[in-house]
Amino acid sequence: MPVDPYSDVPLFEQVAAILRERITSGELARLELLPSETHLAQELGVGRDTVRTALTVLRDEGLVFTIKARGTFVGPRPG
Amino acid sequence: MPVDPYSDVPLFEQVAAILRERITSGELARLELLPSETHLAQELGVGRDTVRTALTVLRDEGLVFTIKARGTFVGPRPG
DNA sequence: GAGAATTTGTACGTATGTATG
DNA sequence: ACATACATACGTACAAATTCT
């Protein structure tokens, strides 16, 4: 049960929680490339916009970083 | 410090700026053959597509011209 | 002349960034 | 929240033309 569209919790928060769990559990190793936004959207049954909003949350937490036109990776932004 | 993939400035514009500097500074003399697209891509750490897009910009500015299977030269296209 | 290597030209697939409805 | 479209970017593959062996 990925997400619950009837919940009071915003979809992007639910998606962020799912991805956060996958990262902190080690399911997604550091520096590993995440599935694409489109792929995650289809898998979780939400729109790409929602995935992107969730990724913004994780980015603010330093859990992931994104390179334009490349992908989103696990870990803090290098540099 | 060639290019910054995290910058808001598109990579191809950064590459164009680098090559433009090499040309206008005289580092690359007029009619001189530029390094191949593949070589430039590897040297600058970008894709060949990005180099080609940058070369299109310089071509539009009349700074370089290209001959298929030969290479890209400094200067306006002869003829 | 034949063949291999090199270089540009083109095409496709996939990814993120941005804008619009 | 979602869908769509375009710009930017990377990788791969192959075609075409030139150059080297």
Side-chain angles (χ1 to χ4, degrees):
Chain A
M1 261 20 17
V3 297
D4 175 15
Y6 305 112
S7 169
D8 286 338
V9 180
L11 278 183
F12 79 90
E13 291 279 11
Q14 298 182 46
V15 172
I18 292 172
L19 296 180
R20 190 184 297 111
E21 162 62 21
R22 290 183 184 178
I23 291 172
T24 57
S25 72
E27 180 181 339
L28 291 171
R30 181 181 172 80
L31 284 189
E32 186 171 339
L33 182 64
L34 266 68
S36 73
E37 295 171 354
T38 301
H39 184 281
L40 286 173
Q42 291 177 343
E43 177 205 335
L44 300 176
V46 299
R48 187 188 158 203
D49 243 22
T50 304
V51 171
R52 285 177 56 77
T53 303
L55 289 178
T56 299
V57 173
L58 301 181
R59 202 144 46 227
D60 291 343
E61 296 173 0
L63 285 177
V64 302
F65 68 97
T66 299
I67 301 179
K68 175 178 179 178
R70 297 290 305 279
T72 299
F73 303 80
V74 179
R77 161 154 304 183
Chain B
M1 165 176 103
V3 297
D4 176 15
Y6 307 115
S7 168
D8 286 338
V9 179
L11 280 183
F12 78 89
E13 288 186 10
Q14 298 182 45
V15 172
I18 291 173
L19 297 179
R20 191 184 298 111
E21 162 63 20
R22 290 183 185 177
I23 292 171
T24 58
S25 72
E27 180 181 338
L28 291 170
R30 183 179 171 83
L31 287 188
E32 185 171 341
L33 182 64
L34 266 69
S36 72
E37 296 169 353
T38 302
H39 184 282
L40 285 174
Q42 292 177 344
E43 176 204 336
L44 300 177
V46 299
R48 187 191 158 203
D49 231 28
T50 303
V51 172
R52 285 179 59 77
T53 303
L55 288 178
T56 298
V57 174
L58 301 181
R59 204 144 45 227
D60 291 344
E61 296 173 0
L63 285 177
V64 301
F65 67 96
T66 300
I67 303 178
K68 176 174 180 178
R70 292 286 308 281
T72 299
F73 302 80
V74 179
R77 177 174 295 274

